[in-house]
Amino acid sequence: MTDSDASSFTLNPAPDAREAAIREAVELALPASIADLSALVRIPSVSWDAFDPARVAESADAVAALFRETGVFDTVDIRRAPTDSGELGQPAVLATRAARNGRPTVLLYAHHDVQPPGKDEDWDSLPYEPTVRGDRLYGRGAADDKAGVVSHLAAVRALRDIAGDELDLGLVVFIEGEEEFGSNSFAAFLDENREALAADVIVVADSDNWDVDTPSLTISLRGNVTFRLTVSTLAHASHSGMFGGAVPDAMLATIRLLASLHDENGSVAVEGLTTRPIDTPEYTEQALRDETGLLEGVQPIGTGSILSRLWAGPAITVTGIDAPSVANASNTLTPSVAVRVSTRIAPGQDAGEAYDALVAHIRAHTPFGAHVEIDDVNTGSPFLVDTSGWAVAAAKDAMRDAWGAEPVEAGIGGSIPFIADLVRVFPEAQILVTGVEDPHTRAHSPNESLHLGVFKRAITAEALLLLRVNDRDGNS
């Protein structure tokens, strides 16, 4: 179904009694949903090369078992697809249920892999031991994105219980296993499973909400360009006392080069990286400080409204450095330093164009004639949601009713590069980017957590949406 069909498409609100029953079903099942989520959090499913792939496979098995137990799906399989290198990617769960009586099909996406945990000592409780403190569940993946997995699961269960024999909605569940490591087999997976994945509406549950009381529908995402940058000045290490002052070491050259990426205000200074003019909701510097832990006296960087910097402008971060550690430091001139550079690019900019601009800047600003090498490059396109379709209106209505608050159409500074692949393969599908996170979730960081009130309201909103789409008048 295309947006052009929207005028002939109507949504019949479900009777108040069934909507009340949906709410009650979600509420009664919440302890079981939290228990299912906790069991998944205990599986350290890090998809990065340096971690045990058996744990990702274990996670896929657990997710598949949960969706089989619903009794809703015709098939529930674990599948893999090849990456660009020809190796098989991490296991994904694919569950399908054919539509009945002309109803549409909704694809529910989330991912079951997680970020590396970091150091245990940086956590207040162990990263893979789910722990409830106050109104939050702590643990790696508790929010990003195993809560997305279980929110789909819980919404499907509630829909099953209330719709019963009148459940005619087509459903596809796609739970990826390598989103945190770049979704390297995603495009191939879509191509290989195109028929099974085809849907009218795609719900991507991997974003956040405005705050714990206000839902968001994400309508823009930045793209990304990441790469390893290696700077070399010497064929071998040399004594810093004997040659320091005349010979540039790689660390000095790297620091000078990285400093050129920003101006004195901290704004990105790479010619060719663009900013998209947008209107943003009100968001104060104090809110930024509260949500990020910005230390007293440290000032925000960049210019313009804070949200325009976060949603619609470029950002460059050095996320890793390979260099001698402080503990192993010796009095030598370091011959080579490698850094990981992560760049977020504005909606509307081509990722290849952004990469070319970064390379040109690096070549032009490398000091002392140092040698530079750029490799291990990954790019992802930014995304702007078409908000004109019926699915956006239906999703916002469901959010409004579930949360009791007006939803915000929001951008996020993060990237979900695979959405461009979804658009390529399913150009007529309407894409909804939702989520269960909030500004204090700390996804990717120590003490990642899920607000349990947000969890319940997100499940309720999705269950209401599915019920209403299931009830649409297919003859009008």
Side-chain angles (χ1 to χ4, degrees), residues 404-439:
E406 187 65 28
V408 175
E409 291 187 358
I412 61 171
S415 307
I416 309 180
F418 63 75
I419 291 183
D421 290 314
L422 290 172
V423 173
R424 173 181 61 83
V425 177
F426 305 115
E428 295 184 353
Q430 299 182 67
I431 298 177
L432 306 173
V433 183
T434 67
V436 294
E437 299 176 26
D438 69 86

Side-chain angles (χ1 to χ4, degrees), residues 3 146 275 281 341 472:
D3 285 346
K146 290 179 176 177
T275 296
V341 177
R472 83 169 184 90

